[in-house]
Amino acid sequence: MDKTDIKSMDFDELTEYVKGLGQPAFRAKQLYEWMHIKLAGSYDEMSNIPAALRDFLKENTDYTALETVRVQTSKEDGTSKYLFRLCDGNLIESVLMHYHHGNSVCISSQAGCRMGCRFCASTLGGLERSLSPSEMLDQIYRIQKSSGERVSNVVVMGSGEPFDNFDNLIKFEKLLTDENGLNISARNLTVSTCGLVPNIYRLADMQLQLTLAISLHAPNDEMRRRLMPIANKYSVAELIEACLYYICKTGRRVTFEYSLVSGENDSESCAMELADLVRGLNCHINLIPVNPIKERDFRQSELAAVNRFKSILEKKHINVTVRREMGRDIDGACGQLRKRYMENE
Ligand code: SAH
């Protein structure tokens, strides 16, 4: 049987667990603080926990603490990319970005991915497995601890499809936003999905205040199917309908990500079609010049095409920004560092 994943327990669960061991309830508070505020890397650091209890926990629980394999820091913008090893040997990557509004960490939700988006490096080797809540959290914990910088924003936009790991994602959200833990506001958490429609509805019904980002990448089914296999399962119309529901239920603005691929989805008519598609929706469009990966021959849109696309949307009064490219010199795009490391070792 698997051992108890102690760092994935919320405060109430931990309290029950500790009481079940015949320990006083305040031990739960101490343990929770060590794990989720002091970000302890092991039980050995927990100086006010009796040695006998620490020994018992070492024996009977799994204490998630990711091993840092490599850190690459961009000379251009200070962005750092972390490669972590999970306890079963799987590798994942996370990114620390510095913005004027604070530090943002982009985390992975799965080792690999099974969504198959054509331009994405994370999906090339398929899905290894989903991450536990503690493995998602610990990416942030290790980064905050080793960089000494407070993380204020989290984006679930690294490798993997978070809605393909839905229950763990929700537990992760609960732990991340817990006032007894890092206490990051749900509003400062962004979750990006390629569009698993039923889970958009589930999330909407939970009425959390997190920011939902949808990887749209095309304004119609035909074009979207060429880029993203998930588009064969859910139509653009169904996706937009689900977003509308999300907006109504939560009052939150939805972000649409649109990676611009030269000659594929960056024409003037695409921009017009996109504007028509999202007209009237409380949304924001984030244009991302596609990051070329060597296994595919997609080209990044020319700057002129990006600007033309953006100005068409602006003329139609759609909120639009072009994502600043960060960490280009350190394999910043999803899955690139992990993949290169695995190829070379
Ligand atoms: N599976 C989730 C989250 C991970 S990908 C999703 O699909 O949203 C995060 C974002 O980066 C997605 O919008 C994805 O489509 C985009 N992306 C992946 N590879 C990219 C690349 N090479 N260039 C630009 N954007 C990319």
Side-chain angles (χ1 to χ4, degrees):
M1 209 179 75
D2 283 348
K3 289 185 183 177
T4 305
D5 174 7
I6 192 163
K7 243 174 161 173
S8 290
M9 287 181 175
D10 63 31
F11 189 69
D12 291 343
E13 289 166 342
L14 185 66
T15 306
E16 280 311 301
Y17 177 72
V18 164
K19 279 203 222 153
L21 300 178
Q23 293 284 331
F26 72 84
R27 291 272 178 247
K29 192 164 186 320
Q30 289 175 326
L31 281 167
Y32 202 84
E33 238 177 62
W34 278 113
M35 290 190 281
H36 301 287
I37 293 182
K38 296 179 188 162
L39 315 181
S42 75
Y43 287 120
D44 294 327
E45 294 174 34
M46 304 185 182
S47 48
N48 58 358
I49 305 292
L53 178 56
R54 273 190 262 160
D55 287 343
F56 176 87
L57 294 172
K58 275 185 210 170
E59 229 5 74
N60 293 283
T61 67
D62 277 327
Y63 189 86
T64 300
L66 306 182
E67 180 198 337
T68 306
V69 178
R70 185 170 289 179
V71 184
Q72 284 178 207
T73 301
S74 162
K75 290 189 186 65
E76 290 168 17
D77 53 35
T79 295
S80 295
K81 186 132 196 181
Y82 290 73
L83 186 69
F84 292 116
R85 187 178 284 114
L86 308 177
C87 61
D88 63 358
N90 268 306
L91 295 167
I92 54 166
E93 51 184 57
S94 325
V95 188
L96 168 66
M97 292 160 287
H98 306 278
Y99 292 101
H100 58 272
H101 62 263
N103 297 318
S104 186
V105 168
C106 172
I107 65 156
S108 295
S109 56
Q110 297 179 314
C113 185
R114 57 175 176 164
M115 294 298 128
C117 298
R118 307 261 188 266
F119 43 80
C120 182
S122 302
T123 206
L124 292 170
L127 175 68
E128 290 291 342
R129 69 169 173 87
S130 286
L131 303 190
S132 64
S134 59
E135 288 168 332
M136 287 189 251
L137 276 177
D138 209 52
Q139 298 171 55
I140 304 155
Y141 292 2
R142 285 314 111 219
I143 289 177
Q144 176 155 316
K145 195 86 191 261
S146 75
S147 68
E149 297 178 60
R150 181 166 159 73
V151 174
S152 53
N153 291 70
V154 173
V155 295
V156 188
M157 273 190 196
S159 294
E161 168 48 48
F163 280 16
D164 188 34
N165 185 18
F166 192 77
D167 294 339
N168 287 344
L169 174 76
I170 298 304
K171 190 64 177 293
F172 158 78
E173 189 271 351
K174 187 170 185 199
L175 292 163
L176 185 72
T177 58
D178 183 359
E179 55 186 22
N180 297 308
L182 275 197
N183 194 13
I184 291 181
S185 149
R187 287 172 173 262
N188 292 346
L189 170 65
T190 299
V191 177
S192 175
T193 176
C194 64
L196 302 187
V197 166
N199 284 344
I200 298 177
Y201 285 100
R202 276 174 81 191
L203 186 70
D205 287 334
M206 292 176 178
Q207 301 201 329
L208 305 175
Q209 283 298 297
L210 53 81
T211 302
L212 179 64
I214 304 284
S215 298
L216 188 59
H217 304 323
N220 61 55
D221 290 327
E222 194 205 340
M223 202 176 287
R224 198 162 188 264
R225 283 177 192 146
R226 282 208 297 269
L227 298 169
M228 307 171 74
I230 194 68
N232 293 304
K233 196 153 181 197
Y234 305 109
S235 68
V236 169
E238 286 172 301
L239 187 56
I240 297 293
E241 187 69 32
C243 290
L244 187 58
Y245 184 80
Y246 186 85
I247 294 164
C248 291
K249 275 276 172 175
T250 62
R252 302 283 292 152
R253 183 169 86 165
V254 164
T255 297
F256 290 110
E257 292 155 273
Y258 195 104
S259 295
L260 288 161
V261 185
S262 182
E264 287 273 340
N265 63 358
D266 64 346
S267 69
E268 280 178 42
S269 66
C270 275
M272 309 272 240
E273 207 179 339
L274 179 62
D276 286 341
L277 183 70
V278 303
R279 175 166 305 134
L281 270 191
N282 182 16
C283 73
H284 168 253
I285 293 183
N286 202 202
L287 299 175
I288 313 163
V290 83
N291 235 316
I293 56 173
K294 71 173 184 340
E295 292 79 4
R296 300 276 188 270
D297 55 4
F298 284 125
R299 279 189 306 115
Q300 195 173 74
S301 299
E302 304 287 336
L303 188 61
V306 174
N307 288 335
R308 185 185 58 192
F309 203 94
K310 178 167 178 259
S311 69
I312 290 172
L313 293 173
E314 281 170 341
K315 276 198 200 102
K316 302 244 179 190
H317 308 291
I318 311 284
N319 292 307
V320 56
T321 45
V322 177
R323 180 176 301 169
R324 249 173 77 202
E325 287 184 76
M326 298 180 89
R328 275 292 298 269
D329 55 332
I330 54 162
D331 293 323
C334 304
Q336 287 189 343
L337 175 62
R338 170 177 182 265
K339 191 150 187 312
R340 201 146 65 118
Y341 181 86
M342 290 181 0
E343 280 164 1
N344 294 338
E345 296 303 300

